Amino acid sequence: MNPSIINTMTRLKTELKPADADNVFKMYCCGPTVYGPAHIGNFRTFLIQDVLRRTLEAAGVKVKHVRNITDVDDKTIRESRKLGVSLKDFTRRWEDKFHADCAALNMLAPTVEPRATEHIKEQLELVAKLVENGHAYVSDDGSVYFKISTFPDYGKLSGLDPESLRTQNVNSAGDANVADEYERDSVSDFALWKGRKPEDGDNFWKSPWGEGRPGWHIECSAMSKKYLGDTFDLHGGGVDLCFPHHENEIAQSRCASGAKESVRTWFHSAHLMVEGAKMSKSLGNLYTLDDLEKRGYTPMQVRYALISGHYRQQLNFTFKGLDDAKSALAKMLKSLKACLASLGISEGDFKGFVRPGAKFEGTAFEPAWRALCDDLNVPKAEGEIFTAFASKSVRTLEDIKAFGSLMYALGIDLFAARANGAEDASGSVEAPAEIVELAKARWEAKKAKDFSKADSLRAEILAKGWTVLDKKDGFDLKRS
Ligand code: AMP
Ligand code: ZN
């Protein structure tokens, strides 16, 4: 059985399967803008995409997953210049931090993770093509704009009323509208290329239209085309990206390639709210993974809490929700251990079953698998898992293997959860010398304020299965 989701474009339930002859499912997800730590709202979206990919793999589908790094835009340039560091040094530091958080949350690394600044040539080629075929025009300041009146399908994804579409290339102040993001009611020609401005500092590239830098939207069109082709299977992002980012991507990609369709299925996840309010810096309710770890929660508990709402419904993040996730993980582990013991299966053997490939049909976990495949219903799947354990229907090796593949699909490592305190607080086991050496080097780098080195050492330690916890005058190590 293949997973299905609701395609934002058609609003219909759509079975996901590779359309190309090579039988590889090609999925593109808009990645982070690396100018600070990703917050748990960003991670809700990235985790849902991780669960979708894992579920496809558990169904036996080969997936090529591309997720970009936005390392040049208005925000990254502004923040790096404020600190007086190069754009590259600044964005690499936040990219490393993002990777460390992803590893802690047990997310699979994308197959390809291209950076915008390393694909300027591809972006320029796309812009040139759009100028050449009349879908874009050059303005006096050397910027290039996409002309949305040349693309009748503009607005279909987000359901914008065609009557309300109007071409306007000035903002309310009467200036050229070059911002990477703009308000919903301001449907305007958008910048593909931005002529150089003094506030860009050293961050510019040469182009046929003069020095400048790419607009935000063009990078995803250029990189998805390069790695997945003119038409690919699935494109994902948070619901806020529908308009304007994804509308703009569709317009650019289709007008450049001439293809009838650039993306077969659109996958959008609803926002994470915090205690009923939108998460924002100004409300002071914006949390990062570090903030939650400092309060004693483990990344696995955070993962469980963030994936446990349906992807098309807003999830209200609460500390009670995190406590519930902690109890659910502990309960699941307890049930699993009882079944393993009665079947004479070791924990080590079970860990080997946490991979794609098990047969679900006819096992105790078939209902959970069906729920996951039916519009990626994670909360229902979790409920079915508890029902299977409670009804004592987990009786065979096949059941345990199916449970292992389900854990792979959800990305839940029950034993990591226990080491981090879900069942008992046995985290303070002694780390091997190699890990201690890496942690010491990280501590030194941190003291010397070389945060980029410190973050990449932290990521290396995480990749080896350990988490560093900073204390006032040193560090602790515990198993991830
Ligand atoms: P950004 O780094 O701002 O480009 O965002 C990265 C991803 O996080 C995008 O797919 C956004 O749609 C998503 N995102 C941003 N805020 C939230 C939120 N509160 N809840 C869920 N996803 C979000
Ligand atoms: Zn994008």
Side-chain angles (χ1 to χ4, degrees):
M1 185 195 314
N2 275 17
S4 65
I5 55 151
I6 300 283
N7 180 354
T8 320
M9 181 65 90
T10 60
R11 280 82 176 157
L12 296 174
K13 197 181 278 185
T14 307
E15 188 187 345
L16 302 178
K17 51 183 180 207
D20 294 338
D22 63 3
N23 223 16
V24 175
F25 189 84
K26 303 187 179 74
M27 95 184 229
Y28 185 94
C29 300
C30 294
T33 308
V34 281
Y35 69 105
H39 55 67
I40 56 171
N42 301 134
F43 278 118
R44 165 161 156 92
T45 290
F46 295 133
L47 281 165
I48 285 169
Q49 293 160 351
D50 185 61
V51 173
L52 180 67
R53 169 183 165 181
R54 286 167 167 277
T55 304
L56 282 158
E57 290 180 350
V61 176
K62 193 167 177 344
V63 180
K64 183 170 181 186
H65 174 201
V66 180
R67 188 181 64 213
N68 65 303
I69 298 273
T70 299
D71 60 352
V72 55
D73 80 327
D74 298 348
K75 289 179 282 201
T76 46
I77 291 178
R78 189 176 58 229
E79 296 305 313
S80 64
R81 279 174 52 83
K82 251 192 228 164
L83 292 177
V85 287
S86 74
L87 184 65
K88 185 172 174 182
D89 285 351
F90 175 77
T91 53
R92 290 298 164 89
R93 178 186 159 194
W94 289 114
E95 189 186 308
D96 288 346
K97 173 64 182 148
F98 175 69
H99 286 149
D101 286 353
C102 288
L105 289 165
N106 202 27
M107 284 163 58
L108 297 172
T111 324
V112 189
E113 200 174 24
R115 297 186 184 102
T117 54
E118 290 173 354
H119 293 78
I120 300 292
K121 182 174 127 309
E122 288 81 354
Q123 295 176 71
L124 284 172
E125 281 167 8
L126 214 53
V127 179
K129 176 90 198 170
L130 292 167
V131 172
E132 188 190 302
N133 65 17
H135 288 288
Y137 57 91
V138 185
S139 72
D140 290 346
D141 69 343
S143 297
V144 183
Y145 291 91
F146 185 89
K147 194 172 183 177
I148 62 168
S149 60
T150 67
F151 184 60
D153 280 351
Y154 194 90
K156 278 206 169 148
L157 178 72
S158 44
L160 287 178
D161 171 11
E163 286 301 305
S164 74
L165 288 178
R166 61 187 190 282
T167 305
Q168 54 166 57
N169 54 13
V170 289
N171 62 22
S172 49
D175 302 323
N177 195 346
V178 293
D180 284 331
E181 290 159 89
Y182 41 87
E183 296 304 315
R184 193 181 168 84
D185 58 359
S186 153
V187 180
S188 63
D189 289 0
F190 56 91
L192 299 166
W193 182 260
K194 300 173 163 201
R196 186 178 169 191
K197 290 222 183 85
E199 56 266 34
D200 291 338
D202 301 335
N203 304 301
F204 64 89
W205 288 265
K206 288 202 171 99
S207 85
W209 317 284
E211 289 168 344
R213 62 182 169 100
W216 169 39
H217 313 291
I218 196 75
E219 67 173 273
C220 290
S221 287
M223 295 190 278
S224 59
K225 176 186 169 68
K226 175 165 180 178
Y227 295 102
L228 300 176
D230 285 332
T231 305
F232 53 93
D233 294 303
L234 181 133
H235 192 317
V239 71
D240 56 307
L241 297 189
C242 253
F243 177 85
H245 185 52
H246 290 159
E247 291 288 2
N248 294 355
E249 269 189 59
I250 294 169
Q252 297 160 161
S253 297
R254 285 187 45 202
C255 291
S257 73
K260 267 213 187 103
E261 195 176 45
S262 52
V263 171
R264 296 187 183 99
T265 304
W266 284 92
F267 178 57
H268 289 102
S269 34
H271 270 175
L272 181 76
M273 310 292 278
V274 176
E275 307 278 359
K278 190 170 187 300
M279 194 170 54
S280 76
K281 262 191 193 147
S282 55
L283 287 176
N285 63 0
L286 190 151
Y287 294 103
T288 63
L289 182 60
D290 284 355
D291 295 333
L292 301 180
E293 282 194 88
K294 275 185 204 130
R295 291 183 181 229
Y297 296 100
T298 70
M300 198 48 65
Q301 291 157 1
V302 175
R303 179 181 177 108
Y304 193 96
L306 292 177
I307 66 171
S308 289
H310 193 275
Y311 77 91
R312 285 189 293 109
Q313 278 159 17
Q314 285 186 346
L315 177 70
N316 188 27
F317 173 82
T318 60
F319 284 95
K320 182 182 174 301
L322 264 185
D323 291 333
D324 292 345
K326 182 174 176 174
S327 317
L329 283 169
K331 192 173 150 194
M332 213 181 265
L333 179 61
K334 200 169 164 201
S335 305
L336 173 68
K337 284 175 81 176
C339 292
L340 293 181
S342 73
L343 288 164
I345 300 168
S346 71
E347 285 183 12
D349 282 346
F350 172 73
K351 284 178 192 164
F353 300 149
V354 183
R355 58 178 156 81
K359 189 173 76 56
F360 295 102
E361 288 73 22
T363 71
F365 295 103
E366 183 176 345
W369 174 244
R370 284 187 177 280
L372 201 53
C373 288
D374 184 8
D375 197 20
L376 205 69
N377 197 334
V378 175
K380 182 151 188 245
E382 288 168 351
E384 295 288 3
I385 288 173
F386 286 115
T387 305
F389 280 125
S391 62
K392 307 230 176 301
S393 53
V394 185
R395 294 197 196 99
T396 65
L397 177 62
E398 295 310 310
D399 290 332
I400 297 295
K401 285 186 175 172
F403 181 71
S405 279
L406 261 182
M407 291 297 98
Y408 177 84
L410 294 171
I412 295 174
D413 182 347
L414 284 173
F415 293 94
R418 181 186 57 178
N420 280 328
E423 189 190 49
D424 56 43
S426 59
S428 52
V429 268
E430 219 167 281
E434 179 208 6
I435 303 293
V436 175
E437 284 314 308
L438 284 171
K440 278 187 188 160
R442 177 186 169 274
W443 182 250
E444 290 308 318
K446 205 180 140 168
K447 275 203 304 193
K449 298 211 180 325
D450 185 349
F451 296 113
S452 145
K453 185 171 172 194
D455 284 345
S456 71
L457 282 164
R458 181 186 158 96
E460 193 179 337
I461 294 166
L462 263 173
K464 292 179 191 286
W466 291 81
T467 303
V468 196
L469 295 177
D470 283 335
K471 297 195 299 192
K472 219 166 113 204
D473 49 7
F475 58 86
D476 267 343
L477 280 164
K478 67 176 186 177
R479 270 192 211 284
S480 303

